[in-house]
Amino acid sequence: MVVLALLFNFVFWYVTLAHPQFGKRQLLQYNSTVIDCSQFNRQEYQHTCVMAPEAIEGPYFIDEDLYRKNITEGKRGIPMDLHLVFTNAKICFPLHEAKVYVWSCDSRGYYSGYTRFNPDSPPPSEDKPPVGDSERFLRGVQRTNLFGKVSFESIIPGFYYGRAVHVHVEVHIHGKVVHIAQLYFDEKLLENVENTPEYSEGRKVNRTKNEEDLYYTRDNGKDSIVNTKVTCKDGKIERIEASMTLGIDPDHERIPIYEF
Ligand SMILES: *[C@@H]1O[C@H](CO)[C@@H](O)[C@H](O)[C@H]1NC(C)=O
Ligand SMILES: *[C@@H]1O[C@H](CO)[C@@H](O)[C@H](O)[C@H]1NC(C)=O
Ligand SMILES: *[C@@H]1O[C@H](CO)[C@@H](O)[C@H](O)[C@H]1NC(C)=O
């Protein structure tokens, strides 16, 4: 018995402490199966009720009710309209009144509230660094409408040390965190964005490509690449419309984790 208990303790210690990413993680098994919506008589939602991959929250989430659609605050960068639709993947139905947080870095890789961290250097080693300034650019909250939709006016995020370009999304229902995602962009688009001065000029670090990012590869990032409609002018990207449908389980509670 003692041996078993010790063994159990060791395994527990090994899994949760030595590898906190396993102990703290509360990810649903990613399941891209299309649910048969006809069983609910909701065939029109077929192919949208797929469980979306989950991701980590990262260190820069700020839980403030910044209800607004336009989150740019005049930040330089390529304008991006972001349209997200959330469905309750268990019943193939739009998720109404879910609280959706969106946040990302600016074109130079800075996060508002954490502008003391240099995007060209490795990230802080603290688990969850305290908010350090009153900037709130590129953060916003919206509630989903009857069609499960929210829209934001933002910019394509820039890049920072060690991470693929991404937008954070977190969904709360009745005060509970039910889904945490990171949305990615097509590499071809990013190559173009990277070549514009407001994103690349004077940077001391190269952009991490999607496939080079361990979180992207581990958390099924390729299934979190937004659909984009690109508008060009004089051979340059003028703006993009990015959209995605995310099927989620509104009864699943996530424990946010702060690993970088
Ligand atoms: C994925 O979800 C579908 C529909 O709910 C289910 O039938 C299937 O067993 C699931 N697959 C896994 C691997 O969990
Ligand atoms: C969003 O707000 C910024 C100022 O913060 C403004 O310059 C921009 O025109 C606004 N965008 C739209 C589409 O209204
Ligand atoms: C960035 O990439 C270029 C070209 O591949 C390389 O020469 C340079 O050393 C890289 N810079 C850094 C900081 O890794």
Side-chain angles (χ1 to χ4, degrees), residues 147-191:
F147 306 100
K149 188 172 176 183
V150 289
S151 295
F152 293 91
E153 287 157 19
S154 187
I155 57 163
I156 301 177
F159 58 89
Y160 61 93
Y161 186 98
R163 286 301 321 275
V165 174
H166 60 278
V167 174
H168 294 269
V169 175
E170 191 164 303
V171 184
H172 294 200
I173 294 176
H174 303 309
K176 282 196 190 126
V177 185
V178 298
H179 193 83
I180 302 175
Q182 295 193 13
L183 308 182
Y184 296 94
F185 297 87
D186 182 76
E187 268 296 319
K188 281 271 174 308
L189 172 75
L190 293 174
E191 280 168 22

Side-chain angles (χ1 to χ4, degrees), residues 18-35:
H19 295 84
Q21 68 271 33
F22 294 121
K24 288 197 238 165
R25 283 168 74 78
Q26 281 271 307
L27 303 198
L28 282 186
Q29 171 121 43
Y30 173 51
N31 181 349
S32 65
T33 312
V34 175
I35 294 166

Side-chain angles (χ1 to χ4, degrees), residues 70 72-74 153:
N70 182 350
T72 60
E73 293 194 9
E153 287 157 19

